[in-house]
Amino acid sequence: MPDAPCPSYLHRLARALMPRERLAACGVALRYGASGVVVRRLPDGRAAYSGLYRCGDFWRCPSCRVTLGIRRARQIETALRAHVDAGGSALLATYTVPHARDESLSVVLARLSDTWRRYAKHAWRDVLGTHYVGNVRALEVVHGVSGWHPHYHALLFISSGLPYLTPVCVALSERWSQAAGAEWRADVRQVARDGVAAVARYLTTDGVAGAAFETANPAAKVPAGRSYPELLYDYARYRSSADAALIYEYAAALHGVHHLAISPRLRRRYDFTDPALGWAQIADEDVIALLNSDEWLSILNAGEDRNLLDDLSRSW
């Protein structure tokens, strides 16, 4: 996505396309019980607003998508690093299913989910036995020349004691072929010790290029299509009704669908709290200014909310 705009710009586009959804109030309306808006300083020096309602919709809200993705990446990186430091290993697998250009997203999602259930029921234990610890599974959805292409990325935590992981990768890939079809093999790779942070970002955020995805194979990732932010950006540039239709189909099909699934054993072993918690926690020294509701509405109606943050960020 060359020269991609900031998430706030994409958020305004999404708000215009879906004015009755929760994302329309996200970052604009005051949070319940809040009397005003806090202008705060972030750890990286940028300014930000607090005290505003956050919808927490990863799929449809570009702003929450970035925030939740970053927080989830940090959780996964912390857990994976602790696991590897303790002598464990990990595999990163990508699972896809057959899809046709004229198929709706909901149909392909149902096929992917059903195939996953049949695969995950026995594959982990049959191939890894007691060495299987748990997995983190992320859903990614793009649209390309072959239509909708939803797929899973799964990070498998494996305990110490397996000297060779290549046969494990082959066996897991073949198991997926048995469930999804002979032509659809899973891409399973070992995670290198120095690739922990890159893998965590790869699972949870958009636009992580294959160059940063240096696990067992440094080959660049070839994009399979346009992600939701790219669809929004293309709609902003070309105002295509076809792109608008894809955005509406995407929003409807993914309503209520989990982006990230973490196995219970991993949840018990590591800290995987809800990343949406704690947004309201602000240290006193980070507060720059307090705006009452009337002042906030004046700034918002004048369209100066983004400019105010940019000016404050440049002022120190």
Side-chain angles (χ1 to χ4, degrees):
M1 191 164 50
D3 302 322
C6 63
S8 61
Y9 174 73
L10 295 178
H11 193 166
R12 288 194 291 271
L13 291 172
R15 187 181 295 127
L17 285 169
M18 294 171 277
R20 296 186 178 181
E21 300 294 339
R22 290 184 305 163
L23 67 89
C26 182
V28 176
L30 294 181
R31 190 177 63 248
Y32 179 76
S35 59
V37 176
V38 178
V39 185
R40 60 178 295 195
R41 182 184 293 109
L42 298 177
D44 60 6
R46 293 180 296 115
Y49 296 118
S50 292
L52 297 173
Y53 166 73
R54 298 297 178 185
C55 66
D57 190 338
F58 175 87
W59 294 116
R60 295 182 287 188
C61 179
S63 299
C64 289
R65 184 186 188 93
V66 172
T67 303
L68 293 174
I70 292 174
R71 292 189 175 199
R72 286 167 175 164
R74 289 172 180 165
Q75 290 179 343
I76 294 172
E77 180 183 355
T78 300
L80 182 56
R81 197 173 298 281
H83 174 73
V84 172
D85 290 345
S89 56
L91 299 177
L92 181 63
T94 300
Y95 300 98
T96 62
V97 292
H99 56 280
R101 186 172 184 176
D102 58 347
E103 287 185 305
S104 67
L105 176 55
S106 58
V107 169
V108 187
L109 278 174
R111 182 182 302 131
L112 177 64
S113 178
D114 179 66
T115 306
W116 174 267
R117 279 194 296 269
R118 288 185 282 112
Y119 170 79
K121 188 175 183 179
H122 300 293
W124 313 132
R125 295 300 179 186
D126 289 352
V127 175
L128 293 169
T130 58
H131 293 286
Y132 173 69
V133 178
N135 75 87
V136 178
R137 189 198 70 199
L139 173 63
E140 182 180 1
V141 179
V142 296
H143 185 274
V145 294
S146 298
W148 288 108
H149 177 49
H151 50 283
Y152 288 135
H153 297 295
L155 182 62
L156 311 180
F157 287 64
I158 303 171
S159 62
S160 58
L162 283 177
Y164 303 106
L165 289 178
T166 300
V168 173
C169 295
V170 174
L172 290 174
S173 180
E174 291 176 346
R175 279 300 190 96
W176 183 256
S177 297
Q178 295 172 10
E183 297 180 359
W184 296 87
R185 296 177 64 87
D187 180 11
V188 186
R189 310 176 183 183
Q190 183 176 354
V191 178
R193 291 184 63 88
D194 58 355
V196 169
V199 167
R201 293 194 303 270
Y202 184 84
L203 281 174
T204 57
T205 58
D206 295 305
V208 179
F213 170 47
E214 292 183 357
T215 52
N217 189 338
K221 176 186 176 185
V222 179
R226 293 182 294 167
S227 65
Y228 175 61
E230 289 170 321
L231 286 172
L232 280 174
Y233 188 39
D234 285 347
Y235 172 76
R237 290 189 295 173
Y238 307 118
R239 299 293 171 175
S240 166
S241 59
D243 285 339
L246 291 175
I247 291 170
Y248 287 132
E249 182 181 359
Y250 171 96
L254 290 166
H255 179 68
V257 175
H258 290 290
H259 165 240
L260 211 65
I262 303 167
S263 58
R265 188 176 179 185
L266 284 184
R267 284 190 179 275
R268 292 192 298 268
R269 181 173 295 192
Y270 302 107
D271 181 22
F272 282 107
T273 57
D274 185 350
L277 297 177
W279 276 355
Q281 298 176 3
I282 311 171
D284 291 340
E285 61 269 20
D286 294 331
V287 175
I288 302 172
L290 299 174
L291 305 173
N292 60 40
S293 57
D294 292 334
E295 291 171 332
W296 169 245
L297 286 177
S298 298
I299 294 172
L300 195 63
N301 292 333
E304 293 296 323
D305 51 315
R306 187 72 250 171
N307 292 334
L308 174 61
L309 293 183
D310 291 340
D311 291 342
L312 288 173
S313 298
R314 287 193 295 265
S315 64
W316 56 70

